[in-house]
Amino acid sequence: YNKGGSVEVVKEFYYTEEEISRAKEYFALADNLHTDLHEVIGHASGQIKPEVGTPKQSLKNYSAAIEETRADLVALYFGIDQKLVDIGVMPSVEVGKAEYDRYIRNGLMLQLNRIEFGENIEQAHMRNRQLISKWVYEKGMKENVIEKKIRDGKIYFVINDYQKLRGLFGQLLSEVQRITSEGDYEAAKNLVESYGVKIDFNLHKEVKERYSKLN
């Protein structure tokens, strides 16, 4: 599954040779480790205030997207931690950087290939990926944490500062955990609807066109 077309996709959507080389070396491990962290410490962490009901009760139709967002943010925050190298689950923090590269590109661009024109994002995992990626892109704009570049008429998103990006993941995690713990429906709705649902048509069109030329 990890080898299915991934090299073609990386070459098409990654901007620098450094990113491409890191992806080729660590793509599968980075992806699997993210999933492990998401499932094992993501979904298993966090507490809800005693007087608040379950997220399904308090956050209603936004509960799934918010919970997936929370689990992904836990995985992303810890995914670049030296501790993972110390305990032997990854060879270096380059694995974490490879995951950041993969995640941001997927959330902002690649997953759009799986959606038909004119549709909004409905699936909870896809909503959470765009929500996180768009939020950190927007909040890091001032310091150019993630930069939108254009080369040969094609759009690329490039991470300039991995540690600052980690800090942004941490900030968003703090807010998403608060939303979950307090059952803040309005904040959940605002976050998901503002960042996780709507698709930029021109970007969508470009992603589809670039994918259609790949083998």
Side-chain angles (χ1 to χ4, degrees), residues 131-143:
L131 186 166
I132 291 170
S133 302
K134 281 185 85 167
W135 191 95
V136 294
Y137 173 62
E138 182 188 288
K139 302 301 177 191
M141 237 175 221
K142 202 173 170 186
E143 294 186 272

Side-chain angles (χ1 to χ4, degrees), residues 97-195:
K97 287 182 178 180
E99 178 53 26
Y100 279 22
D101 291 338
R102 187 194 71 81
Y103 194 92
I104 293 298
R105 276 174 182 79
N106 191 33
L108 291 176
M109 292 186 81
L110 302 186
Q111 69 173 11
L112 300 180
N113 188 51
R114 295 158 55 192
I115 298 169
E116 295 304 317
F117 287 126
E119 290 183 6
N120 287 331
I121 299 176
E122 300 294 346
Q123 207 269 349
H125 292 83
M126 295 176 87
R127 280 186 167 190
N128 102 72
R129 288 183 205 118
Q130 179 171 288
L131 186 166
I132 291 170
S133 302
K134 281 185 85 167
W135 191 95
V136 294
Y137 173 62
E138 182 188 288
K139 302 301 177 191
M141 237 175 221
K142 202 173 170 186
E143 294 186 272
N144 212 24
V145 177
I146 300 168
E147 188 176 351
K148 180 181 178 180
K149 295 184 183 247
I150 295 174
R151 183 172 67 198
D152 302 328
K154 295 175 179 179
I155 292 170
Y156 298 85
F157 288 96
V158 183
I159 299 167
N160 289 324
D161 193 320
Y162 291 86
Q163 288 304 325
K164 279 185 178 165
L165 179 54
R166 186 194 190 199
L168 290 168
F169 287 141
Q171 284 177 39
L172 183 55
L173 173 57
S174 177
E175 172 60 7
V176 171
Q177 184 59 57
R178 183 200 67 76
I179 288 169
T180 303
S181 298
E182 296 176 2
D184 190 339
Y185 176 81
E186 285 305 318
K189 178 183 177 184
N190 186 45
L191 203 54
V192 175
E193 294 292 343
S194 299
Y195 295 97

Side-chain angles (χ1 to χ4, degrees), residues 3-152:
K3 288 188 173 21
S6 60
V7 175
E8 290 270 337
V9 172
V10 165
K11 283 180 181 170
E12 176 59 40
F13 289 96
Y14 281 51
Y15 191 75
T16 68
E17 282 305 318
E18 185 189 351
E19 294 166 330
I20 291 169
S21 147
R22 187 163 50 216
K24 282 179 180 172
E25 191 167 356
Y26 297 124
F27 188 92
L29 176 60
D31 191 18
N32 290 339
L33 191 53
H34 174 86
T35 303
D36 293 342
L37 291 166
H38 170 109
E39 300 296 347
V40 179
I41 62 170
H43 286 309
S45 64
Q47 293 185 4
I48 294 165
K49 288 189 172 179
E51 69 277 10
V52 176
T54 65
K56 214 162 196 178
Q57 293 167 326
S58 61
L59 305 180
K60 300 171 183 153
N61 52 314
Y62 296 107
S63 64
I66 289 292
E67 178 55 21
E68 295 304 335
T69 300
R70 198 181 67 81
D72 257 0
L73 285 165
V74 171
L76 290 163
Y77 185 77
F78 288 109
I80 204 169
D81 201 302
Q82 178 63 31
K83 185 73 175 174
L84 295 182
V85 179
D86 297 344
I87 63 175
V89 296
M90 68 184 188
S92 79
V93 291
E94 289 297 297
V95 178
K97 287 182 178 180
E99 178 53 26
Y100 279 22
D101 291 338
R102 187 194 71 81
Y103 194 92
I104 293 298
R105 276 174 182 79
N106 191 33
L108 291 176
M109 292 186 81
L110 302 186
Q111 69 173 11
L112 300 180
N113 188 51
R114 295 158 55 192
I115 298 169
E116 295 304 317
F117 287 126
E119 290 183 6
N120 287 331
I121 299 176
E122 300 294 346
Q123 207 269 349
H125 292 83
M126 295 176 87
R127 280 186 167 190
N128 102 72
R129 288 183 205 118
Q130 179 171 288
L131 186 166
I132 291 170
S133 302
K134 281 185 85 167
W135 191 95
V136 294
Y137 173 62
E138 182 188 288
K139 302 301 177 191
M141 237 175 221
K142 202 173 170 186
E143 294 186 272
N144 212 24
V145 177
I146 300 168
E147 188 176 351
K148 180 181 178 180
K149 295 184 183 247
I150 295 174
R151 183 172 67 198
D152 302 328

